[in-house]
Amino acid sequence: MFKVLVSDPISDLGIQQLMDAEDVTVEKKTGLSEDELVAIIGEYDGLLVRSQTTVTEKIIAAGEKLKVIGRAGVGVDNIKLEAATQRGIVVINAPDGNTITTCEHAFAMMMALARHIPQAYAKTITGVWDKKSFLGVELRGKTLGVLGMGRIGSEVAKRAKAFGMNILAYDPFLTADRAEKLEVKLASVDDIVRGADFITVHTPLTPETRHIISRPQFEVMKKGMRIINCARGGIIDEMALIEAIDSGIVAGAAFDVFEKEPPEADHPFLSHPKIIVTPHLGASTVEAQENVAIDVSEQVLNILRNEPFINAVNMPPVAPSVMNKLQPYFTLGERLGSFASQLTHGALGEIVVEYAGDLSDVDTQPLTRYIVKGALERFLGSDVNIVNSFHLAKSRDVNVVVTKAPKTKGFTNLITVTLKAEHGEERLVAGTLLQGYGERIVRLGKFPIDIAPEGHQIFISHNDKPGIIGLVGTLLGENGVNIASMQVGRQVVGGEAIMLLTIDKEVPQAVLVKLAGLPEINAAEEINLK
């Protein structure tokens, strides 16, 4: 018989399946202090919380029987993940339970924005009957740009179609086939920025999506467009948006999220007559709160019964013998995935991992999770981790293929990662661990190379001509970019070649543009490895 403690107020409906389970006893004890929880947590196999309980290292250490901690919500900031991982306790959340709620809030914000509903309400209740100041626009026939076609973005697009809107959709995983099924037009960020009447964002906040809409994008937008953000603060440059509204480019904006929450009292969004704001209410409905509890209860039950589960946000226990063999390769695998991903431009469709050498004799699934995490992290940020990476890949129609070969040429072990994208694009990177040198990338595509996968790097594709290295070095030096190491790969003299530079710091985009413009240079791209 399993015992589960519910330490925060959660409705009985949300945890009904736990309460109905014959092999589980559920006890609800809310409002407990840390010391009170420490005193009793040793009796329980599972702990279910919302946001009030902070699950500290002390509580986790006292949970001698704990197998799972469930968070009835999305964020897990109130749970010490590292401590749970070290104890082999699975931490799960419920990322799907608020999909419809957040979608509906975004759509409500869009309609309120189109018809000036909050502003008209505020004026009407003061006794002023003003019909002339609030001339709105219809949604029918307008073009909606959706940045991010995951669960929420797809639901928003579905509802927008019902309103007669034309949909331009961008997502790094969105293929032409899937776009056709969703009845949306596949577009680039630039296409959306230039062509949309409304833009709504539904992406994670990552280095690539931070300020994905900023001054350069506002400068080329259709005059009078409107913008909605119910995803993450920081995706849209807030100060650049204020400038765009005041200059007449943007007709209005609706934000449920801020770069800093709560915002400062003098934040310009809070007093601007053309901006609608709400205090991060995307998931705040009765149904959503119940749905996340239902979702997490189901997963808690699966874990207790040793059945398959999803939505874990840390690493489940791995057999010590397997861990000892694989652990030295975890960082290498994640960086190989990240490296290949940063050089892949089309919609990602398949991740192929080949293990050659001694690694072919063990269960490499934990290592593959790191590789898939590295490949997806560029697009999904902190939403992807080593436990849910397979699930997230599958949910986005990204196929993961693993092959093994007992022998490899010249290395004890070799990991080869190939990312396949639309239109036949493939990006291959191979790496190994070398005694005395550590992690090394030893192959890029068809070119042999030898470089450590770390820090900031510049990948250059060029024609093998005299003077190329000098031109590159001079340009970088003139722009204050210091080269720490350089590797050049080629197959034949005078043919296609590559250059991989390790540099001391991030290179400005303008410098990359200059590099790409040099004679005989085909492409220049930055790679950032943690």
Side-chain angles (χ1 to χ4, degrees), residues 329-367:
Y329 294 90
F330 284 163
T331 301
L332 171 65
E334 185 171 348
R335 289 178 176 175
L336 290 175
S338 177
F339 192 103
S341 176
Q342 292 180 58
L343 292 178
T344 303
H345 302 114
L348 184 59
E350 188 168 79
I351 302 171
V352 181
V353 183
E354 180 183 354
Y355 297 105
D358 293 345
L359 286 175
S360 64
D361 296 330
V362 297
D363 179 5
T364 53
Q365 186 180 101
L367 177 53

Side-chain angles (χ1 to χ4, degrees), residues 332-408:
L332 171 65
E334 185 171 348
R335 289 178 176 175
L336 290 175
S338 177
F339 192 103
S341 176
Q342 292 180 58
L343 292 178
T344 303
H345 302 114
L348 184 59
E350 188 168 79
I351 302 171
V352 181
V353 183
E354 180 183 354
Y355 297 105
D358 293 345
L359 286 175
S360 64
D361 296 330
V362 297
D363 179 5
T364 53
Q365 186 180 101
L367 177 53
T368 306
R369 291 181 181 276
Y370 276 90
I371 295 171
V372 175
K373 173 182 181 289
L376 299 184
E377 195 167 28
R378 169 190 171 194
F379 312 107
L380 301 178
S382 59
D383 287 355
V384 60
N385 57 65
I386 53 177
V387 178
N388 68 9
S389 59
F390 285 177
H391 171 67
L392 291 178
K394 183 179 180 181
S395 70
R396 285 158 175 78
D397 296 326
V398 177
N399 194 30
V400 178
V401 178
V402 176
T403 63
K404 296 184 178 183
K407 295 182 180 180
T408 181

Side-chain angles (χ1 to χ4, degrees), residues 252-268:
F255 272 56
D256 186 47
V257 290
F258 294 81
E259 293 197 33
K260 179 184 177 183
E261 294 185 359
E264 300 292 343
D266 61 350
H267 193 294

Side-chain angles (χ1 to χ4, degrees), residues 57-127:
E57 292 95 336
K58 190 176 178 181
I59 293 170
I60 291 170
E64 297 178 356
K65 295 175 62 179
L66 275 182
K67 300 177 179 65
V68 57
I69 300 171
R71 163 71 162 90
V74 178
V76 289
D77 294 343
N78 58 323
I79 301 172
K80 296 299 182 182
L81 290 179
E82 185 175 351
T85 302
Q86 290 174 354
R87 290 290 309 276
I89 300 168
V90 180
V91 179
I92 58 172
N93 66 348
D96 298 334
N98 62 5
T99 296
I100 299 301
T101 291
T102 305
C103 158
E104 289 184 354
H105 190 69
F107 214 87
M109 294 284 268
M110 181 162 60
M111 296 185 71
L113 185 61
R115 301 304 296 269
H116 309 289
I117 291 173
Q119 298 92 329
Y121 167 79
K123 197 165 188 179
T124 303
I125 63 172
T126 66

Side-chain angles (χ1 to χ4, degrees), residues 507-523:
V507 61
Q509 182 63 32
V511 176
L512 288 175
V513 173
K514 291 179 182 178
L515 276 175
L518 288 176
E520 306 296 339
I521 299 290
N522 302 317

Side-chain angles (χ1 to χ4, degrees), residues 3-8 25-49 53 58-66:
K3 290 183 69 175
V4 174
L5 174 64
V6 180
S7 64
D8 285 340
T25 298
V26 178
E27 296 182 3
K28 297 180 73 172
K29 300 179 181 180
T30 62
L32 300 178
S33 67
E34 181 185 38
D35 288 340
E36 289 172 328
L37 267 172
V38 168
I40 66 172
I41 195 63
E43 307 173 22
Y44 297 95
D45 303 279
L47 174 62
L48 190 55
V49 303
T53 299
K58 190 176 178 181
I59 293 170
I60 291 170
E64 297 178 356
K65 295 175 62 179
L66 275 182

